[in-house]
Amino acid sequence: MPSKDKESKTELKGGWQICLNTESPSESLVLGRADGRFFKVTFNTTRYGQPLLQEAVDADGVAGYVVPIVKQIDGAWHVVVTYNERPANDYQEKLLEGARRSVSNDTPFISTDGEAVQLLPGYIYSNSARIAGKLKVGVVDVTDEADFVLPEGAEYLSFAEFFEVSTDALTKAVLGQFMVCVLKLI
């Protein structure tokens, strides 16, 4: 057991911190938040040994939800999207994304609160080789909902255009599952 006097903690910006025991850094490394929100990076010593991003999960072990809002318009399927700044591209340009939320995010860019969500079977991982945290998936189909109002800053984009221009692999995966499991386009 590593000794307590070898434990170190370094505070970072925004409530983040790095903790490790210098006698066993690979078994004790944690980069995360003291409040446990969002995710933490640990060092997974199993097999190859590599850093692993572990998303914060709820009581059911779910890290978040990918639930695009879809609508059939003039015979073609569309998805509700927004353009969001993200660190993946160092905030260089806004990325085109569908509706998704983590369990730690109370204010997603597109909310599905109050909408009838059709959950799809199973769950997905955002990147199973690097990130742990199950994501539940589903859709909100507003085709027959005359009173549906687009969230502020959102717009409809055809599935075809979304697949062509978006880098949002999570929403693409769920739309693919929706096309196969619900629309039976196979």
Side-chain angles (χ1 to χ4, degrees):
M1 182 84 162
S3 71
K4 279 270 209 207
D5 63 338
K6 300 293 182 173
E7 291 181 4
S8 75
K9 184 184 296 185
T10 303
E11 299 296 327
L12 304 171
K13 182 179 179 180
W16 294 89
Q17 60 187 11
I18 299 173
C19 303
L20 69 95
N21 184 300
T22 56
E23 288 183 352
S24 181
S26 67
E27 294 174 4
S28 64
L29 170 69
V30 176
L31 184 150
R33 291 174 52 105
D35 62 9
R37 291 185 70 195
F38 304 112
F39 61 88
K40 65 183 176 183
V41 178
T42 62
F43 195 80
N44 182 325
T45 57
T46 307
R47 282 196 175 175
Y48 311 110
Q50 66 187 54
L52 176 69
L53 192 145
Q54 295 177 304
E55 293 193 82
V57 297
D58 64 14
D60 296 323
V62 174
Y65 300 85
V66 182
V67 182
I69 301 170
V70 299
K71 182 175 185 172
Q72 193 172 30
I73 302 171
D74 297 327
W77 282 96
H78 290 70
V79 60
V80 175
V81 298
T82 60
Y83 294 85
N84 308 306
E85 292 181 333
R86 297 289 193 191
N89 66 349
D90 202 24
Y91 305 104
Q92 294 302 305
E93 62 184 69
K94 290 185 177 185
L95 301 177
L96 179 65
E97 299 176 338
R100 60 188 201 215
R101 79 183 319 149
S102 72
V103 296
S104 299
N105 184 358
D106 298 330
T107 56
F109 290 112
I110 301 174
S111 176
T112 56
D113 289 343
E115 300 296 334
V117 174
Q118 177 184 357
L119 288 177
L120 298 172
Y123 57 87
I124 62 174
Y125 289 109
S126 58
N127 180 346
S128 62
R130 309 280 184 267
I131 303 172
K134 295 187 286 191
L135 302 173
K136 294 295 284 180
V137 298
V139 294
V140 172
D141 184 352
V142 296
T143 300
D144 297 324
E145 294 184 29
D147 59 342
F148 176 76
V149 177
L150 276 171
E152 185 176 332
E155 64 182 274
Y156 288 108
L157 200 64
S158 73
F159 281 18
E161 189 173 0
F162 181 78
F163 274 89
E164 184 178 322
V165 299
S166 179
T167 57
D168 181 359
L170 298 175
T171 300
K172 286 180 178 182
V174 176
L175 292 179
Q177 188 172 358
F178 172 69
M179 288 187 283
V180 171
C181 295
V182 177
L183 301 180
K184 307 291 186 195
L185 299 176
I186 56 172

